[in-house]
Amino acid sequence: LLSCRLYCEEAKDPKRRSCQTVLAEALDVIIRSFAPILPHLAEEVFQYIPYKKDSESVFRTGWINASSAWKKPGTEEAIEGACAVRDSFLGSISGKNSLEYEVIIVIEPGLLFELMEALQAEETSSVSQLNEIMMASQTTLLSELPKETPSDANIIKGTFLINLEGGDICEQSSYKVIARPIAKAKCPRCRRYTAESSSTPCPRCLQVLAAGKGST
């Protein structure tokens, strides 16, 4: 997830910038957490942070005070739900390369489906947050099984318990997962199987490369 956003997206793409923001916030919290125990190491790391800092020393930054902006209702549940679905997907392919597959997620209309829609607005995507979490080359989110699903298809079933508003909203949701070998070629740039041929970058990478040429 991190490597794809950091190395495959355009330099100023919001996905890449948001990833850098999260990494910077995590580093800040870690440094200030172990500063009282490992003061010299914390100070050395702080001095080498490659972006502008408000203080000259880690010991002048104060204690950790996370912004309330990081606590967005539903986000934690959406990520946990997606990770539960991902575990089912990865378990169904028995340690094989997940990028060689496309995953179909089927969830009946309800709270879990709405949470997954927040991570992927399109029905099928290779660049959505949901697909990044799945670690697949392509993810399809549906409310019912496709009509063309073979009768002998390996359908993995699972459930996920959603707790929102401190338990005031509670819903047990079921889901189905189908993993299928993807028919597309491996992109020589991002290494996902989203290209039309192995010698040509995928549409996403072509767009990023074109944007890079235009800004030079």
Side-chain angles (χ1 to χ4, degrees):
L1 175 57
L2 294 180
S3 61
C4 183
R5 287 194 175 194
L6 289 173
Y7 300 113
C8 297
E9 300 290 355
E10 188 182 353
K12 295 183 179 180
D13 188 280
K15 288 183 178 181
R16 184 175 186 272
R17 297 292 291 166
S18 66
C19 183
Q20 290 177 312
T21 299
V22 171
L23 289 174
E25 184 72 13
L27 178 62
D28 178 71
V29 170
I30 291 172
I31 293 173
R32 288 197 276 172
S33 295
F34 68 65
I37 306 170
L38 300 169
H40 298 293
L41 176 60
E43 184 63 28
E44 183 176 3
V45 173
F46 184 83
Q47 293 302 326
Y48 278 93
I49 288 178
Y51 49 82
K52 186 177 179 181
K53 304 177 286 289
D54 295 330
S55 303
E56 295 181 357
S57 169
V58 68
F59 296 101
R60 293 183 180 275
T61 60
W63 189 236
I64 302 166
N65 185 22
S67 171
S68 59
W70 291 99
K71 186 61 177 178
K72 186 177 179 182
T75 300
E76 181 178 352
E77 289 74 17
I79 299 300
E80 288 181 349
C83 288
V85 176
R86 179 189 63 192
D87 290 344
S88 296
F89 160 56
L90 295 178
S92 72
I93 60 176
S94 303
K96 297 177 182 177
N97 183 1
S98 60
L99 290 177
E100 296 180 358
Y101 290 81
E102 61 173 320
V103 56
I104 299 173
I105 304 169
V106 182
I107 307 172
E108 293 184 359
L111 190 52
L112 181 59
F113 187 85
E114 292 175 4
L115 291 174
M116 295 304 100
E117 273 193 319
L119 300 175
Q120 179 170 301
E122 310 89 348
E123 182 177 284
T124 299
S125 177
S126 60
V127 296
S128 68
Q129 294 181 72
L130 181 58
N131 187 67
E132 289 178 340
I133 294 172
M134 290 300 112
M135 298 164 53
S137 280
Q138 181 174 286
T139 297
T140 298
L141 178 62
L142 302 172
S143 58
E144 59 182 15
L145 282 172
K147 294 180 179 179
E148 66 275 11
T149 302
S151 58
D152 60 345
N154 183 22
I155 302 175
I156 305 299
K157 298 180 180 180
T159 60
F160 181 73
L161 179 62
I162 301 171
N163 278 299
L164 290 172
E165 305 295 336
D168 292 339
I169 301 175
C170 186
E171 182 178 297
Q172 180 88 10
S173 300
S174 60
Y175 61 84
K176 298 181 180 73
V177 174
I178 304 174
R180 299 193 306 201
I182 196 159
K184 294 187 178 181
K186 186 177 183 180
C187 172
R189 182 175 181 270
C190 70
R191 305 299 180 182
R192 292 189 176 187
Y193 290 77
T194 51
E196 297 303 322
S197 72
S198 58
S199 60
T200 305
C202 66
R204 189 272 300 270
C205 287
L206 286 174
Q207 184 178 355
V208 172
L209 292 170
K213 290 180 181 179
S215 60
T216 56

